Amino acid sequence: MSSIVVIGGTSGLGKEVARFYAARGDEVVLTGRDAERAAAVAGEVGAARGLALDLSRPTEIKAALADVSAVDGLVLVGVARDRNSVAAYDIEGALYALTMKLVGYTATVHALQDRMHDDSAVVVFGGQAKERPYEGALSVATMNAGVTGMIRALATELAPVRFNALHPGVVGDSPYWSDKPLEAVVDRTPTGRTPTMADVVDAVDFLLRNRSVNGVDLAVDSGWVLR
């Protein structure tokens, strides 16, 4: 049995990751911004615990994770879907989104580093907006590209703990995308299908367990950026 921590595990892809490891019999701790919701989702998916943690308030992260014990796998999923542009730059929105992912993710690793061991592994979620920015994706593209530098720096500094980035494309059956028209996306995808949440969870598991994969960016987008 492994100890898995899922940061941002109360909805979407994070919830599916937590559900997968709990079903496998691992000890799973998941977090969300609201304590009651985190506890409720933990009960729903079979996780050991749900904790309140706000990535946009990085100075509070260490205390929020104080009771977490050994960490075999850490999955950083939580995200803010900021829509921003240079022409109408929302500084508050940008600060929230970039703090949440770039500073909040790093603060989480800082808080848990003494509970990791030589075989621990970390998966950091980015996204394919870094390769194909869409209208309003200024902050999202920036922070997802920043994930690449983050995992390389962390893999070097905290070796032999492994750090890898996972960059999903449009995940068609996820709560965010499932009710949106995706024909244009599918038409630009060589496989003729968008990735599923199960595909993304499988990629997370691969990155956590394969001991020779380190410091890489793994795209799970069905080849979407090729067209």
Side-chain angles (χ1 to χ4, degrees):
M1 181 176 73
S2 298
S3 298
I4 307 294
V5 179
V6 183
I7 305 297
T10 58
S11 63
L13 293 169
K15 184 177 179 180
E16 291 306 302
V17 170
R19 190 193 309 275
F20 171 83
Y21 285 107
R24 199 176 70 174
D26 292 321
E27 181 177 323
V28 177
V29 175
L30 63 82
T31 76
R33 285 188 293 268
D34 179 76
E36 289 187 8
R37 176 165 172 74
V41 173
E44 177 187 340
V45 304
R49 279 189 294 164
L51 302 176
L53 183 150
D54 189 340
L55 287 166
S56 71
R57 303 172 71 170
T59 59
E60 300 174 8
I61 289 175
K62 193 166 189 175
L65 297 173
D67 293 336
V68 175
S69 54
V71 177
D72 299 314
L74 171 63
V75 185
L76 294 155
V77 192
V79 66
R81 294 190 178 277
D82 178 60
R83 291 192 68 85
N84 225 324
S85 66
V86 174
Y89 197 46
D90 177 2
I91 294 176
E92 297 253 339
L95 284 171
Y96 178 84
L98 294 167
T99 297
M100 183 177 174
K101 179 160 276 193
L102 298 181
V103 182
Y105 278 11
T106 307
T108 301
V109 174
H110 166 72
L112 294 175
Q113 62 179 322
D114 63 345
R115 278 151 276 181
M116 297 182 191
H117 51 82
D118 287 359
D119 288 327
S120 294
V122 181
V123 174
V124 181
F125 270 61
Q128 286 297 70
K130 72 183 180 67
E131 300 295 334
R132 183 176 284 168
Y134 50 85
E135 183 180 355
L138 177 60
S139 296
V140 174
T142 299
M143 63 192 185
N144 288 343
V147 164
T148 297
M150 180 196 303
I151 60 110
R152 292 178 180 176
L154 290 171
T156 301
E157 182 175 342
L158 296 184
V161 177
R162 294 184 298 106
F163 290 83
N164 292 294
L166 195 157
H167 299 279
V170 174
V171 182
D173 65 344
S174 67
Y176 182 78
W177 290 108
S178 61
D179 61 348
K180 295 176 174 61
L182 299 178
E183 291 80 6
V185 176
V186 172
D187 287 345
R188 295 187 67 170
T189 303
T191 61
R193 61 180 286 273
T194 59
T196 65
M197 291 200 291
D199 295 331
V200 176
V201 172
D202 183 64
V204 170
D205 189 50
F206 164 71
L207 292 175
L208 285 184
R209 64 181 166 74
N210 192 300
R211 298 177 65 189
S212 295
V213 180
N214 191 26
V216 306
D217 287 295
L218 178 61
V220 182
D221 67 353
S222 298
W224 177 61
V225 298
L226 298 176
R227 292 181 175 175

